Amino acid sequence: MLALPIIGGMMSQNVLNLVDTAMVGQLGDTALAAAGIGSFTSFMANAVVLGLGTGVQAIASRRIGEGKEHLAALPLNGGLMVALLVGLPLAAILWLLAPLFYPFLIDDPEVVEVGTEYFQLRLLGIAAVGMNFSFRGFWNGVSLSWIYMRTLVVMHILNVFLNFGFIFGYFGMPEMGAPGAALGTTIAIWVGSLIYFLQALKMARKNGFMSGLPTRETLGAMLRLAIPNSIQQLFFSGGLTMMFVIIGMVGTQEVAIANVLIQLTLVCILPGMGFGLAAATLVGRSLGRGDADDAEQWGWDVVKIAVGVLTLLGLPMLLFPSWILGVFLPNAELVQLGKVP
């Protein structure tokens, strides 16, 4: 039951990605390719702060297990501080460097032009991504994952509205094409941070929210948990980005197809991450009680459930590839190219 709200929230993220891909796909393969490379290079940039969610969740759940509920939000305070101190200067540096390194990712000048603007607009949300993951870790750690899911769904609905407006020029918004999807996403992420903050002021003050920073020891423990996860995310996103670079040597159409295929693959990856987040909370509580055997058993129990669920999610891609790809790719030629991969 703990995993269901987390998975629901993460699936809403995937639905949003698929809707974005379908909308950008109407602009042609150049836009799809630019959005694909831009989204995964921004994933690499965000990876630096993604691990904060893991660190905050682990410490918060452990404080609950120790019966120290009044200290559970202190790691959240530290996570928000780190997100701002790291995210803001990193975004500024990468914004300036983007026009210099982006042409090395793909040699199609149209994709470079659109993709650079897309990437720069997504960079504006790095700090907000770190804050959102910190809030997510806290709500999951104190078993209030429904707050995370509810906020994420609201944020995604806003994102779809903004992306539709900025991509195609509706609702009085400027018509920006693929970069409009990046702007809409960035705005929605910052709005999500504000919603999380207001909810925490109302519901987490009793846990120490905004009452002070964690001790140096607690902050160090949180970062020791966060940094390996960030490194893992960096290598994961870096591998995907390099894959796009290699595919870009074949052609722009192939990069567009790869973007769609990766977004579809996330249909399985994101629920798997949701199961992992639920397991992290259960393991943290067991460790807080000093029960290492129970902590280990939770890990294996969640793996068994996840394997069955994710197998069922993957079957439609195997059985109906042409129908699924046709929703996102603008012509039959691209659908045929993407079928076997």
Side-chain angles (χ1 to χ4, degrees), residues 101-167:
F101 71 75
Y102 213 90
F104 291 98
L105 301 178
I106 188 168
D107 59 6
D108 187 322
E110 292 185 45
V111 176
V112 170
E113 180 181 359
V114 176
T116 301
E117 184 179 359
Y118 183 102
F119 175 62
Q120 287 177 319
L121 290 171
R122 287 293 298 269
L123 288 174
L124 299 177
I126 292 179
V129 168
M131 294 169 68
N132 282 7
F133 269 73
S134 296
F135 278 117
R136 186 186 76 176
F138 172 73
W139 295 124
N140 290 341
V142 299
S143 295
L144 291 175
S145 53
W146 61 271
I147 296 179
Y148 151 66
M149 184 192 74
R150 180 182 65 185
T151 306
L152 198 60
V153 169
V154 171
M155 185 169 62
H156 290 342
I157 292 173
L158 174 63
N159 198 347
V160 170
F161 171 78
L162 292 173
N163 285 10
F164 188 71
F166 284 124
I167 290 173

Side-chain angles (χ1 to χ4, degrees), residues 12-329:
S12 72
Q13 171 71 61
N14 193 220
V15 170
L16 171 67
N17 290 340
L18 293 174
V19 170
D20 275 1
T21 302
M23 286 192 287
V24 173
Q26 304 306 307
L27 304 176
D29 51 15
T30 296
L32 261 180
I37 296 177
S39 63
F40 285 103
T41 49
S42 65
F43 183 10
M44 280 188 66
N46 288 328
V48 177
V49 295
L50 292 183
L52 291 173
T54 299
V56 171
Q57 180 174 343
I59 301 299
S61 62
R62 193 168 298 183
R63 293 294 177 265
I64 296 294
E66 294 169 346
K68 300 177 181 178
E69 290 84 355
H70 63 290
L71 300 178
L74 292 185
L76 169 60
N77 299 341
L80 297 178
M81 177 189 69
V82 173
L84 290 171
L85 290 178
V86 173
L88 294 178
L90 178 63
I93 293 170
L94 292 178
W95 177 288
L96 296 174
L97 293 178
L100 301 178
F101 71 75
Y102 213 90
F104 291 98
L105 301 178
I106 188 168
D107 59 6
D108 187 322
E110 292 185 45
V111 176
V112 170
E113 180 181 359
V114 176
T116 301
E117 184 179 359
Y118 183 102
F119 175 62
Q120 287 177 319
L121 290 171
R122 287 293 298 269
L123 288 174
L124 299 177
I126 292 179
V129 168
M131 294 169 68
N132 282 7
F133 269 73
S134 296
F135 278 117
R136 186 186 76 176
F138 172 73
W139 295 124
N140 290 341
V142 299
S143 295
L144 291 175
S145 53
W146 61 271
I147 296 179
Y148 151 66
M149 184 192 74
R150 180 182 65 185
T151 306
L152 198 60
V153 169
V154 171
M155 185 169 62
H156 290 342
I157 292 173
L158 174 63
N159 198 347
V160 170
F161 171 78
L162 292 173
N163 285 10
F164 188 71
F166 284 124
I167 290 173
F168 301 110
Y170 290 111
F171 316 120
M173 303 177 194
E175 183 178 350
M176 300 175 61
L183 180 59
T185 298
T186 297
I187 293 173
I189 291 171
W190 277 105
V191 171
S193 296
L194 177 61
I195 295 173
Y196 279 131
F197 186 83
L198 295 175
Q199 289 179 118
L201 283 177
K202 181 179 180 180
M203 303 182 64
R205 295 301 289 269
K206 65 181 183 297
N207 302 118
F209 180 63
M210 299 302 291
S211 67
L213 294 174
T215 64
R216 182 176 299 181
E217 180 182 3
T218 298
L219 185 61
M222 186 188 77
L223 292 177
R224 283 194 296 273
L225 292 165
I227 290 173
N229 185 265
S230 287
I231 293 173
Q232 174 188 341
Q233 297 292 343
L234 182 63
F235 275 94
F236 176 61
S237 58
L240 288 173
T241 302
M242 185 54 62
M243 181 195 70
F244 275 105
V245 172
I246 295 170
I247 293 174
M249 297 176 184
V250 180
T252 299
Q253 285 188 330
E254 286 75 10
V255 175
I257 293 167
N259 182 20
V260 173
L261 293 178
I262 292 299
Q263 299 301 343
L264 289 171
T265 303
L266 289 173
V267 170
C268 287
I269 292 178
L270 290 175
M273 292 174 65
F275 278 114
L277 290 170
T281 294
L282 297 167
V283 168
R285 289 189 173 186
S286 297
L287 292 176
R289 295 193 304 269
D291 191 345
D293 291 336
D294 189 53
E296 181 179 1
Q297 187 60 47
W298 271 121
W300 287 112
D301 288 344
V302 173
V303 165
K304 295 171 187 175
I305 297 171
V307 167
V309 171
L310 302 188
T311 299
L312 291 176
L313 285 174
L315 281 177
M317 300 181 206
L318 180 66
L319 299 176
F320 311 108
S322 297
W323 183 83
I324 294 174
L325 289 172
V327 176
F328 305 98
L329 296 172

